[in-house]
Amino acid sequence: MVLIATLAYCFYSVPSYQPTWPIDPVTIKATRDRRRSELSSFSTSSAVQDYPILVKQATAELAALDKKDYRAYAAVARKQVLYVDERIDPMASIQFYFYPMPYYADDNPFALYDGHYGSQEIAARYLAVSRYRQGAVTSNVVEERTSLQTLQRTISGGLTLFLLLVAVFLANDLVTNDRRHRTVVQGLPLTPWRALTAKTGLAWLATMGITGGFILILILTTVFRYGFGSLGIPITLFHLPPGRTAYFSTTPLDLYLAKWLVLLALLIWLFTRLTLLLSILFRNEYIPLLLAGGAIFSQALYLESGVGAIKNWTTWTLPTYFDVGKILSGYQKYLYQTDQITFNRGLLLIGGAVLLVELIVLLVTHRRHFALVH
């Protein structure tokens, strides 16, 4: 099932990806020509003030695309994005400019705020791309289509939660299945704690192996069409420090991936160990699956836009840090409207949870007359 889901994603979902701000010279030219023609007949102050600048920027974008100079394109497109963003007021009843249509899909009540976030994010990334000198800058790099950038987008899109579910399913019946092999299990020269640790290690390795397999398939299905990319490609990070205007910084992709692997490895161990512990306590296959699987998505019980600015305790709850990709990109900070949701705090909470579960497992398995199989 995991292999089928992986292949379906890589062969159907990835090719259908459309960037919010695509490189589309036809649309750029059409919009430029329309504004140029309207300028000759309109006398509104906004058109007189804005259209000459927007037409000039669009002409510069088309010139850069004709030369296939994507660094220059990113630099001038950034100016275009910021110029439009500055003229959209979320509090105004009438808007003369609009963000790309995906922000307004499904009657999104936060369309203008999401559009502003997206505009600032792409402006920061375009600036970093225009200054990037460690590798070639192609249209696929600008649109985040290369293999490594696709992996990063997938991680930010919830890959961690999927892998945690895989870990729970793999660990779910490791203890209860021992009932079918009593003689073999009872004949093993292992203490219950050692046996449980061996099971945890095998399930952890299996899940990490599935992670590696997913990454390999993803790369093989994208590299020949979009290129491999570079580990030095800049990734944007959102910040919202108290008393300051929100802003973006950038970090190399390799650092992003390294931090993801660290938190992912800890979370997989945590959920594998937790599922085995629940199996011991309840001696049932369904209750651990429901409890551990439900815990993965328990953030939904308290998550709402801006909740972190009102309820600070939500920045200290473990489920807030399960979707690692959103933590590393800073998108979780935007959702919660707080700058307190960081990699370091996530590492502290997840590491603390691992130690707590380990302590409980140690106490349970060292009880007098305890046995994995009854």
Side-chain angles (χ1 to χ4, degrees):
M1 287 299 294
V2 174
L3 179 60
I4 293 174
T6 299
L7 292 174
Y9 176 79
C10 292
F11 281 101
Y12 292 99
S13 296
V14 172
S16 64
Y17 161 72
Q18 289 297 326
T20 306
W21 299 86
I23 298 176
D24 186 355
V26 174
T27 301
I28 295 173
K29 185 177 184 301
T31 303
R32 182 200 63 178
D33 294 345
R34 176 179 58 80
R35 284 172 173 162
R36 181 181 286 166
S37 64
E38 289 176 349
L39 185 61
S40 62
S41 58
F42 278 156
S43 59
T44 60
S45 59
S46 61
V48 171
Q49 177 183 351
D50 297 339
Y51 281 12
I53 297 174
L54 293 172
V55 167
K56 181 180 179 180
Q57 291 172 343
T59 301
E61 287 183 42
L62 292 171
L65 292 177
D66 286 340
K67 298 177 183 177
K68 297 189 182 301
D69 186 349
Y70 294 102
R71 287 190 180 89
Y73 168 79
V76 70
R78 170 181 176 271
K79 296 178 181 178
Q80 180 93 295
V81 169
L82 289 176
Y83 193 87
V84 173
D85 180 55
E86 290 171 358
R87 277 146 184 77
I88 298 179
D89 181 3
M91 305 305 295
S93 57
I94 300 177
Q95 300 290 341
F96 295 99
Y97 296 94
F98 298 92
Y99 295 113
M101 290 308 298
Y103 291 115
Y104 302 91
D106 302 320
D107 295 324
N108 177 17
F110 304 104
L112 296 180
Y113 298 99
D114 292 346
H116 175 66
Y117 171 90
S119 296
Q120 294 296 314
E121 185 275 331
I122 200 167
R125 185 166 60 82
Y126 275 10
L127 178 61
V129 167
S130 68
R131 297 174 176 177
Y132 179 64
R133 294 294 183 270
Q134 298 178 28
V137 175
T138 65
S139 61
N140 291 325
V141 170
V142 175
E143 291 188 330
E144 297 184 295
R145 293 183 184 272
T146 66
S147 296
L148 291 177
Q149 288 172 296
T150 300
L151 174 60
Q152 186 270 326
R153 287 191 292 102
T154 305
I155 292 171
S156 296
L159 175 62
T160 306
L161 300 182
F162 170 75
L163 293 173
L164 292 181
L165 276 178
V166 171
V168 169
F169 274 99
L170 288 178
N172 185 50
D173 60 356
L174 288 181
V175 171
T176 53
N177 267 351
D178 284 345
R179 300 172 187 170
R180 305 169 191 170
H181 311 285
R182 291 174 182 270
T183 305
V184 175
V185 174
Q186 292 173 350
L188 291 175
L190 295 174
T191 63
W193 183 86
R194 289 181 180 273
L196 202 64
T197 301
K199 291 175 180 291
T200 306
L202 289 173
W204 182 87
L205 287 174
T207 309
M208 294 302 291
I210 289 173
T211 302
F214 175 89
I215 293 173
L216 179 61
I217 293 174
L218 180 64
I219 290 175
L220 290 177
T221 54
T222 55
V223 67
F224 298 106
R225 184 174 181 182
Y226 304 114
F228 183 71
S230 169
L231 289 171
I233 292 175
I235 301 299
T236 54
L237 307 175
F238 178 75
H239 303 275
L240 187 63
R244 292 186 59 186
T245 304
Y247 69 95
F248 285 87
S249 65
T250 59
T251 188
L253 178 57
D254 55 0
L255 183 58
Y256 176 97
L257 294 177
K259 289 182 176 180
W260 174 65
L261 286 173
V262 168
L263 292 185
L264 175 68
L266 283 174
L267 281 171
I268 289 176
W269 183 272
L270 172 64
F271 273 92
T272 300
R273 202 68 158 166
L274 177 62
T275 304
L276 292 175
L277 175 61
L278 293 173
S279 297
I280 292 173
L281 297 177
F282 292 101
R283 302 287 173 179
N284 183 283
E285 294 184 14
Y286 302 105
I287 295 178
L289 185 63
L290 290 174
L291 292 179
I296 295 173
F297 302 99
S298 58
Q299 178 187 201
L301 296 175
Y302 57 83
L303 175 60
E304 57 182 319
S305 182
V307 68
I310 303 172
K311 302 176 182 178
N312 186 62
W313 61 265
T314 58
T315 66
W316 287 98
T317 54
L318 192 59
T320 301
Y321 297 85
F322 288 163
D323 198 344
V324 176
K326 291 182 173 61
I327 302 299
L328 298 180
S329 67
Y331 187 70
Q332 204 79 325
K333 295 179 181 180
Y334 169 67
L335 287 179
Y336 282 73
Q337 285 297 292
T338 175
D339 206 47
Q340 302 305 309
I341 304 175
T342 63
F343 168 80
N344 289 337
R345 184 173 291 192
L347 187 62
L348 174 66
L349 291 173
I350 296 170
V354 169
L355 292 177
L356 177 61
V357 171
E358 288 295 330
L359 177 61
I360 296 174
V361 169
L362 186 66
L363 293 175
V364 169
T365 55
H366 281 75
R367 288 180 304 175
R368 193 174 182 180
H369 305 306
F370 174 82
L372 286 177
V373 179
H374 290 299

